[in-house]
Amino acid sequence: MRVLGVDPGLTRCGIGVVDGLPGRQLRLVAVGVARSEPTAEVDQRLWRIEQQLEEWIEEHGPDAVAVERVFAQHNVRTVMGTAQVAGIALVAAARRRIPVALHTPSEVKAAVTGSGTAGKSQVQTMVARLLDLSELPKPADAADALALAICHLWRPAGALGAPQRAPGALTPAQRAWAAAEQASRRRG
Amino acid sequence: MRVLGVDPGLTRCGIGVVDGLPGRQLRLVAVGVARSEPTAEVDQRLWRIEQQLEEWIEEHGPDAVAVERVFAQHNVRTVMGTAQVAGIALVAAARRRIPVALHTPSEVKAAVTGSGTAGKSQVQTMVARLLDLSELPKPADAADALALAICHLWRPAGALGAPQRAPGALTPAQRAWAAAEQASRRRG
């Protein structure tokens, strides 16, 4: 299963593509950032981001698109652009009949670090570890997009589109995650 | 000049098309509401609204699209969907190389009633008067979309895309507006 994660933003929009299946190591497919020129008009900026998102979707053919859920309480100066980019990502997926999911920042942090209040560097560290990367994914927007994709691959059994499993049973991926979490605690 | 106004909303998105030129009576071309099913998933709802917006743009071929500027301080429960619909309207226009403009609710109210704090019914009354309609445009979202289009047609000389005029000179449309405003005061 291939998931394209989107960390929405008007100046920098993180995009990360991850393959994963129960019992298999997660695999980084591609990661990057869609950008728009801050001095351009907002309609042109949104369109530019849409074009880049569509190129990523066309190139990587994800089975699902996971987008960070934006809250009105976010940074007031940027929240409107962030929400609009999230909306554009949702429609770009919907037009191609690709299922989408929204995950909150806390869900994403908890999925990859075990804590819903983890900091940016902790998320980057765990994303690098889980994807077996030799370097931290940068910028943070790119790491967040990968974390979103991982969060979606690891969403609880019974969630939208997830394969059904007996309650309490951990998938191999979830066991790997638990082990990584424990390893992280020992090192911390 | 033909302007398509958009009062963004996820459940009801007002759309109004108005023709206007200096010295000519404003003319209603079309007005309506794009809707999405509140029980559907947000990506499907945004896509549905996009489809309807695109049908309106294709059918009426506006020279400009005017969208209400959404602020983070708006109703927190609905502001994200409203911002996303605004973004989708902007991109739908940008893709077709149609110029867009954002106008604040206060600008729109001031343009059609003379007061930036006018109520909904006052806006509806003035929109009906300015467009010579025998009935008030309903629902309020539709009236707001028409008011946006009028606001854009009447934006100050020197604003983006407006024909240049000597400072202080009123266009015939502006004179008509001033007269309508005075008449409104006498009746009130």
Side-chain angles (χ1 to χ4, degrees):
Chain A
M1 168 145 183
R2 174 166 294 185
V3 178
L4 186 145
V6 178
D7 182 34
L10 193 51
T11 301
R12 287 190 313 278
C13 174
I15 307 177
V17 185
V18 177
D19 279 350
L21 274 179
R24 299 265 188 88
Q25 164 73 30
L26 294 166
R27 189 175 76 84
L28 170 70
V29 177
V31 63
V33 175
R35 295 173 197 272
S36 77
E37 192 50 59
T39 55
E41 295 291 332
V42 67
D43 60 307
Q44 298 297 315
R45 299 185 69 183
L46 291 168
W47 186 28
R48 185 76 196 97
I49 295 281
E50 179 183 72
Q51 288 168 324
Q52 294 166 80
L53 279 169
E54 294 193 326
E55 285 164 16
W56 277 77
I57 293 173
E58 293 297 333
E59 181 172 347
H60 297 291
D63 301 302
V65 171
V67 181
E68 187 177 302
R69 189 183 290 277
V70 182
F71 292 99
Q73 292 78 6
H74 273 201
N75 183 338
V76 167
R77 201 176 56 80
T78 58
V79 68
M80 290 295 117
T82 305
Q84 289 174 337
V85 170
I88 280 161
L90 294 174
V91 173
R95 268 192 231 116
R96 291 166 177 79
R97 314 315 197 254
I98 301 171
V100 303
L102 294 162
H103 300 291
T104 68
S106 312
E107 285 167 359
V108 173
K109 289 173 186 172
V112 300
T113 74
S115 162
T117 59
K120 288 242 173 234
S121 74
Q122 197 181 345
V123 169
Q124 284 177 302
T125 301
M126 283 306 297
V127 165
R129 192 170 295 161
L130 295 167
L131 294 175
D132 200 19
L133 309 178
S134 54
E135 291 185 5
L136 296 188
K138 285 177 190 167
D141 315 76
D144 284 346
L146 292 171
L148 265 157
I150 296 170
C151 173
H152 188 74
L153 286 162
W154 281 354
R155 69 206 178 284
L160 183 71
Q164 295 295 323
R165 284 183 171 270
L170 283 183
T171 66
Q174 286 168 332
R175 282 198 298 274
W177 169 20
E181 211 191 320
Q182 282 203 323
S184 165
R185 279 206 207 100
R186 280 198 302 273
R187 288 177 221 188
Chain B
M1 168 144 182
R2 175 166 293 183
V3 178
L4 185 145
V6 178
D7 181 35
L10 193 52
T11 301
R12 286 190 315 276
C13 175
I15 307 177
V17 185
V18 177
D19 280 349
L21 273 180
R24 299 263 189 89
Q25 163 73 31
L26 294 166
R27 188 174 78 83
L28 170 71
V29 177
V31 63
V33 175
R35 295 171 197 273
S36 76
E37 192 49 59
T39 55
E41 295 292 333
V42 66
D43 60 307
Q44 298 298 316
R45 299 185 69 184
L46 291 168
W47 185 29
R48 185 75 195 97
I49 295 281
E50 179 183 70
Q51 289 169 324
Q52 294 167 79
L53 278 169
E54 294 194 324
E55 285 165 15
W56 277 78
I57 293 173
E58 294 296 334
E59 181 171 348
H60 297 292
D63 301 301
V65 171
V67 181
E68 186 176 302
R69 188 183 291 278
V70 183
F71 292 99
Q73 292 77 5
H74 273 199
N75 184 339
V76 167
R77 200 176 58 78
T78 59
V79 69
M80 290 296 116
T82 305
Q84 290 174 336
V85 170
I88 279 161
L90 293 174
V91 173
R95 268 192 231 117
R96 292 167 177 78
R97 316 310 197 255
I98 302 171
V100 303
L102 295 162
H103 300 291
T104 68
S106 312
E107 285 167 0
V108 173
K109 289 172 186 172
V112 300
T113 74
S115 161
T117 59
K120 288 246 174 230
S121 74
Q122 198 180 344
V123 170
Q124 285 177 300
T125 301
M126 284 305 298
V127 165
R129 191 169 296 161
L130 294 167
L131 293 174
D132 199 19
L133 309 178
S134 54
E135 290 185 5
L136 296 188
K138 285 179 191 165
D141 316 75
D144 285 346
L146 292 171
L148 266 156
I150 296 170
C151 173
H152 188 74
L153 286 162
W154 281 354
R155 70 204 178 286
L160 183 73
Q164 296 294 325
R165 281 178 174 272
L170 284 182
T171 65
Q174 286 168 332
R175 282 199 297 274
W177 169 20
E181 213 191 318
Q182 284 203 323
S184 164
R185 279 208 205 99
R186 280 197 303 273
R187 288 179 222 190

